[in-house]
């Protein structure tokens, strides 16, 4: 059974009335506020607007995946004692509460016993960061981990950065990466004068059309500039992060999943596991809390249609509940209702019994009663690049990330799939978060060299419309304004376990199938490895995407 179908169905229109076997339900949620993210981040930047993507093979209606490619767009348990807390009539210190929650998180969500993470190793009062392939020791106060804030004091991390004219004049002798690191260190010490000088120097020596190190530097420096231009609660508003994404960005998001295969591999692993869960089931109900444009289910429906049925045994009924904020990605493509109708049209043409239930609501407001549940169906929950957008205990004592996971556990699902980026941009303070983001996105930008030429307009659109926006949010924003809050695989394991889930190892069939596809269709710098039951997909030695399965 192949996870990728060679012939894809072209979806057009979709307004036709569905047949009796393909029913669409629409559940409205009347009261909620929009939190969608689309930063217009370049502040007084000389970079010009990039044209609409061309030559990618993706049509204007966003529903024509290219042959042999599965395209999809992307697009939380606090401790039990919190459930019993009554906030009515109780006076509490929010900073102290946040401190206790962060202490609990560090105790329960540490990536490993040695404290080693993606960005470096914490050893007593020193933070060891990997810079230019070498280990550099930066001084850090011993009470760093006890602070409820997500940034260090002026005495932290790098004490060697100064604003004297002599050091500023030496900027030209350093490469853009080192200047950016020094600039981030200066900002962590609130040395705005030195940081501003370094930003101007980097802008003079990088280009969005250069090699991968220059391209990522061009966007990282704009994140640093945005951090200086605005601060605190005004950063998000200044960057206009809450505007719905444009049609151009939706097209760029689709191209991203074509030209950066690690994202696609993550979806393939999730789909392969979901297909295996159909065995011996008459009705399967998939709940997707961030369905976006529904492209993941184009391939899923095609694969279901290709599975031969023994004797006269009917195909299982697929019910899909799609959740999404109607003010976000759905606006340019007609909303959840139209997405459901397009999927219905595909399912009807391929003979797959299909029902779609639209839930236009912010994920944090969804309750089980809104999910169109029925007796006798196997429930599968799909979290593809969604959980990291949910605020956790480091943002608010409400901890929407873990609340959602506990609610899903209460649904008694047969399977839960989680696809996430393998990097810590959640709880890390500013400077180590900058280093971690630089290392991660350096690998992503480098991998794009293997798929598109540097002068490609599509590639520049993807880098600006998708990757750069995430980078700026990670670098410039703090608190609730920073919504790109990724976590490494170890922390997701701890969260899922705390919510009551048990890890389900990826099947050998899914594992081997994806490895065969990578060997046969992609260069040998794309890597896949299995670790603690999850599949890690990366570029060279850098893990980028992790798919895990839970029950």
């Amino acid at each position: 059974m192949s996870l990728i179908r060679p012939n894809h169905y072209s979806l057009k229109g979709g307004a036709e009335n569905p047949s009796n076997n393909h029913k669409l339900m629409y559940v409205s949620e009347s009261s909620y506020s929009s939190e969608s993210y689309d930063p217009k981040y370049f502040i007084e930047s000389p970079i010009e607007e990039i044209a609409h993507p061309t030559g990618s093979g993706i049509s204007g209606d966003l529903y024509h995946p290219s042959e042999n490619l599965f395209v999809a767009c992307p697009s939380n348990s606090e401790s039990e004692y919190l459930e019993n807390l009554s906030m009515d009539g109780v006076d509490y210190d929010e900073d102290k509460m946040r401190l206790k929650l962060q202490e609990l998180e560090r105790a329960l969500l540490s990536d490993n016993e040695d404290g080693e993470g993606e960005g470096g190793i914490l050893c007593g009062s020193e933070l060891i960061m990997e810079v230019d392939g070498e280990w550099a020791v930066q001084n850090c106060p011993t009470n760093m981990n006890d602070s409820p804030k997500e940034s260090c004091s002026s005495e932290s991390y790098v004490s060697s950065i100064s604003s004297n004219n002599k050091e500023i004049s030496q900027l030209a002798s350093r490469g853009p990466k080192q200047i950016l690191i020094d600039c981030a260190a200066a900002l962590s010490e609130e040395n705005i004068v030195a940081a501003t000088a370094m930003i101007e120097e980097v802008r003079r020596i990088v280009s969005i059309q250069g090699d991968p190190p220059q391209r990522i530097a061009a966007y990282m420096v704009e994140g640093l500039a945005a951090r200086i231009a605005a601060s605190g609660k005004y950063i998000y508003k200044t960057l206009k992060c809450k505007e719905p994404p444009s049609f151009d960005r939706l097209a760029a998001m689709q191209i991203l999943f074509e030209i950066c295969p690690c994202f696609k591999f993550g979806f393939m692993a999730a789909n392969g596991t979901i297909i295996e869960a159909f065995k011996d089931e008459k009705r399967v109900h998939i709940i997707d809390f961030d369905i976006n444009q529904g492209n993941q289910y184009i391939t899923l429906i095609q694969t279901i249609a290709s599975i031969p049925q023994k004797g006269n045994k009917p195909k299982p009924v697929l019910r899909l509940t799609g959740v999404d904020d109607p003010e976000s990605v759905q606006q340019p493509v007609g909303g959840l209702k139209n997405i459901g109708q397009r999927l219905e049209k595909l399912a009807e043409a391929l003979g797959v019994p299909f029902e779609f239930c639209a839930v236009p609501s912010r994920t944090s407001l969804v309750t089980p009663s809104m999910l169109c549940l029925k007796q006798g169906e196997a429930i599968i929950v799909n979290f593809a690049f969604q959980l990291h957008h949910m605020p956790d205990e480091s943002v608010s004592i409400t901890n929407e990330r873990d609340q959602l996971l506990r609610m899903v556990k209460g649904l008694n699902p047969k399977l839960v799939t989680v696809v996430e980026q393998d990097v810590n941009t959640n709880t890390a303070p500013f400077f180590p978060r900058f280093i971690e983001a630089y290392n991660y996105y350096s690998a992503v930008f480098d991998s794009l060299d293997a798929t598109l030429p540097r002068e490609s307009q599509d590639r520049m659109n993807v880098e600006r419309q998708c990757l750069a926006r995430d980078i700026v949010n990670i670098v410039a924003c703090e608190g609730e304004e920073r919504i790109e809050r990724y976590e490494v695989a170890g922390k997701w394991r701890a969260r899922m376990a705390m919510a009551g889930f048990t890890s389900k190892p990826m099947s050998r069939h899914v594992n081997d199938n994806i490895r065969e596809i990578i060997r046969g269709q992609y260069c040998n710098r794309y890597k896949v490895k299995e670790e603690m039951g999850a599949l890690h997909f990366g570029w060279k030695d850098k893990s980028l995407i992790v798919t895990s399965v839970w029950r």
Side-chain angles (χ1 to χ4, degrees), residues 78 81-82 85-101 393 395-399:
E78 65 184 345
Y81 79 90
L82 288 177
L85 287 179
S86 174
M87 306 311 296
D88 297 333
V90 178
D91 294 328
Y92 67 94
D93 187 313
E94 187 169 349
D95 283 344
K96 289 183 178 180
M97 178 68 73
R98 187 174 305 216
L99 172 60
K100 294 300 182 184
L101 288 171
E393 67 280 357
V395 181
S396 168
I397 59 174
T398 305
N399 195 354

Side-chain angles (χ1 to χ4, degrees), residues 218-264:
Y219 293 119
M220 295 293 287
V221 74
E222 297 304 331
L224 293 172
R227 188 176 180 89
I228 292 176
S231 60
K233 65 181 180 180
Y234 299 107
I235 290 180
Y236 211 39
K237 294 179 181 178
T238 301
L239 300 181
K240 300 179 181 178
C241 293
K242 296 180 181 179
E243 291 184 358
S246 65
F247 188 87
D248 284 359
R249 189 184 178 210
L250 293 179
M253 289 165 65
Q254 282 204 325
I255 298 171
L256 171 64
F257 292 103
E258 290 187 13
I259 68 176
C260 192
C262 289
F263 291 90
K264 183 172 61 179

Side-chain angles (χ1 to χ4, degrees), residues 28-92:
S28 65
E29 172 63 29
S30 59
S31 177
Y32 55 86
S33 61
S34 171
E35 297 290 342
S36 61
Y37 163 55
D38 184 24
K40 307 293 185 183
Y41 58 89
F42 289 114
I43 301 175
E44 298 179 0
S45 171
I47 300 176
E48 298 179 354
E49 289 292 333
I50 297 177
H52 186 78
T54 59
S56 65
I58 294 184
S59 66
D61 64 9
L62 301 182
Y63 288 95
H64 298 268
S66 59
E67 186 169 272
N68 290 327
L69 283 177
F70 161 53
V71 188
C73 289
S75 27
N76 309 333
S77 143
E78 65 184 345
S79 62
E80 291 301 322
Y81 79 90
L82 288 177
E83 293 182 330
N84 300 321
L85 287 179
S86 174
M87 306 311 296
D88 297 333
V90 178
D91 294 328
Y92 67 94

Side-chain angles (χ1 to χ4, degrees), residues 242-400:
K242 296 180 181 179
E243 291 184 358
S246 65
F247 188 87
D248 284 359
R249 189 184 178 210
L250 293 179
M253 289 165 65
Q254 282 204 325
I255 298 171
L256 171 64
F257 292 103
E258 290 187 13
I259 68 176
C260 192
C262 289
F263 291 90
K264 183 172 61 179
F265 299 154
F267 283 111
M268 288 165 51
N271 266 6
T273 303
I274 291 172
I275 288 294
E276 290 184 337
F278 271 69
K279 185 179 180 180
D280 300 326
E281 298 290 351
K282 295 181 179 179
R283 299 181 64 89
V284 176
H285 184 183
I286 300 175
I287 302 172
D288 192 318
F289 282 92
D290 189 14
I291 194 170
N292 278 291
Q293 299 167 67
N295 288 335
Q296 179 176 357
Y297 300 102
I298 294 175
T299 301
L300 187 70
I301 291 171
Q302 290 169 336
T303 306
I304 294 172
S306 71
I307 300 174
Q309 299 296 312
K310 296 180 179 179
N312 294 323
K313 184 179 179 182
K315 291 183 181 297
V317 176
L318 170 60
R319 300 185 65 237
L320 174 61
T321 294
V323 179
D324 212 338
D325 186 341
E327 298 300 322
S328 63
V329 74
Q330 310 310 334
Q331 263 189 348
V333 292
L336 277 171
K337 194 171 184 178
N338 283 1
I339 289 170
Q341 288 173 344
R342 289 184 172 103
L343 291 174
E344 280 182 321
K345 183 177 180 181
L346 170 63
E348 183 176 10
L350 297 178
V352 175
F354 179 77
E355 299 172 10
F356 183 80
C357 176
V359 183
S361 172
R362 286 179 53 198
T363 303
S364 60
L365 301 179
V366 173
T367 62
S369 64
M370 300 166 62
L371 296 176
C372 312
L373 302 175
K374 292 183 179 180
Q375 291 290 334
E377 59 186 13
I379 296 175
I380 297 174
V381 177
N382 183 44
F383 289 118
F385 301 105
Q386 193 274 336
L387 284 174
H388 71 270
H389 283 150
M390 302 296 294
D392 71 347
E393 67 280 357
S394 68
V395 181
S396 168
I397 59 174
T398 305
N399 195 354
E400 294 177 6

Side-chain angles (χ1 to χ4, degrees), residues 100-162:
K100 294 300 182 184
L101 288 171
Q102 289 188 329
E103 289 174 347
L104 177 64
E105 181 201 27
R106 283 190 295 275
L108 297 178
L109 300 184
S110 59
D111 295 335
N112 54 53
E113 296 180 355
D114 299 325
E116 184 176 351
E118 284 288 335
I121 307 173
L122 191 64
C123 302
S125 62
E126 296 179 329
L127 181 69
I128 304 178
M129 301 304 299
E130 188 175 6
V131 179
D132 288 324
E134 299 179 355
W135 293 104
V137 180
Q138 311 290 351
N139 293 328
C140 189
T142 56
N143 64 344
M144 179 187 72
N145 286 338
D146 294 328
S147 171
K149 307 297 182 183
E150 289 194 4
S151 60
C152 282
S153 68
S154 60
E155 297 179 357
S156 64
Y157 296 113
V158 180
S159 59
S160 62
I161 301 297
S162 67

